[in-house]
Amino acid sequence: MKTSDKILQMLKTQGELTAKVIASELGLTTMGVRQHLQSLEESRDVVFEDRKATRGRPTRYWALTPESNSHFSDRHEELTVQLIDSVKTVFGDGGLEQLIAHREQASLVLYREALKDADTLSAKLQILAQLRIEEGYMASVEQQGDVYWLLENHCPICAAASKCLNFCRSELQLFQSLLAEHAVISREEHIIEGARRCAYKVAPVQE
């Protein structure tokens, strides 16, 4: 993987970073990373913001732009949008709802089978995250106290979700159905609403 691609990957999964942090993680010089960031800025893939530091000069933080999405899997966005329009035209809104419900049910069956042998909420979430990684969501799990977070740094169906928000509603319902006996799940950050990622709060059910 090229250095510029590694930098894009880091910004996608970790959010805003300084050149110094990127250099440290990649084992490169800060100057070298700055050159790559400047090139990515020229191609409109990244932007920076200078923030006041406690002392000394402001600290420069780099972040991805919407244009950077072209570097990540998009599952043929144009075709997806065309298909959604076609389904609505031929079968109406009800037909599109049936399509989304069928997708949700198929995923539920697949995920339940994969999670059936996991005996803890943590184990189930790790398997679920791996399934989502394989589907292109760049997922991970974090724990804060008793609460877990399922984080998705990329949305491979973003075009479809932007066209029809019911895809997003369906994904949340899928997680809620899958883990209903173990946790209460809510979406706290949402890519479609302008967030960097989708973040699902997973609060264990008190037994």
Side-chain angles (χ1 to χ4, degrees), residues 31-201:
M31 180 62 71
V33 167
R34 284 196 183 112
Q35 290 174 347
H36 284 289
L37 287 168
Q38 185 175 355
S39 177
L40 288 169
E41 182 189 14
E42 290 171 357
S43 60
R44 298 185 178 180
D45 291 310
V46 300
V47 292
F48 66 81
E49 179 184 356
D50 291 330
R51 298 177 186 167
K52 269 189 175 180
T54 306
R55 60 179 63 182
R57 300 191 318 182
T59 302
R60 177 162 293 185
Y61 286 83
W62 295 86
L64 296 180
T65 65
E67 286 85 350
S68 69
N69 280 332
S70 62
H71 294 277
F72 303 96
S73 172
D74 62 9
R75 290 200 176 175
H76 313 294
E77 290 188 354
E78 185 177 351
L79 176 60
T80 300
V81 171
Q82 290 175 349
L83 286 172
I84 290 173
D85 285 338
S86 294
V87 169
K88 290 181 71 173
T89 299
V90 177
F91 302 106
D93 289 336
L96 183 57
E97 279 299 307
Q98 285 185 305
L99 175 67
I100 294 172
H102 180 270
R103 175 178 178 271
E104 180 182 331
Q105 188 59 35
S107 295
L108 185 60
V109 170
L110 176 68
Y111 289 3
R112 275 186 174 152
E113 177 65 22
L115 270 60
K116 67 179 182 180
D117 295 327
D119 54 5
T120 66
L121 177 58
S122 176
K124 289 179 183 294
L125 286 171
Q126 292 296 339
I127 295 172
L128 177 58
Q130 184 57 43
L131 291 170
R132 301 293 281 180
I133 288 171
E134 292 169 3
E135 293 176 7
Y137 287 86
M138 298 175 71
S140 63
V141 176
E142 293 183 6
Q143 185 174 3
Q144 294 178 356
D146 294 332
V147 173
Y148 294 91
W149 290 86
L150 175 63
L151 306 173
E152 296 184 340
N153 293 290
H154 183 61
C155 179
I157 64 162
C158 196
S162 297
K163 186 73 175 178
C164 178
L165 288 176
N166 286 345
F167 278 102
C168 293
R169 183 214 66 207
S170 175
E171 301 238 301
L172 178 57
Q173 286 181 179
L174 170 62
F175 296 152
Q176 290 171 333
S177 298
L178 189 66
L179 300 172
E181 296 179 6
H182 308 278
V184 175
I185 303 176
S186 59
R187 186 192 288 114
E188 301 297 323
E189 297 178 39
H190 198 184
I191 291 175
I192 297 301
E193 294 178 355
R196 178 180 66 80
R197 64 190 180 182
C198 286
Y200 297 88
K201 182 180 180 181

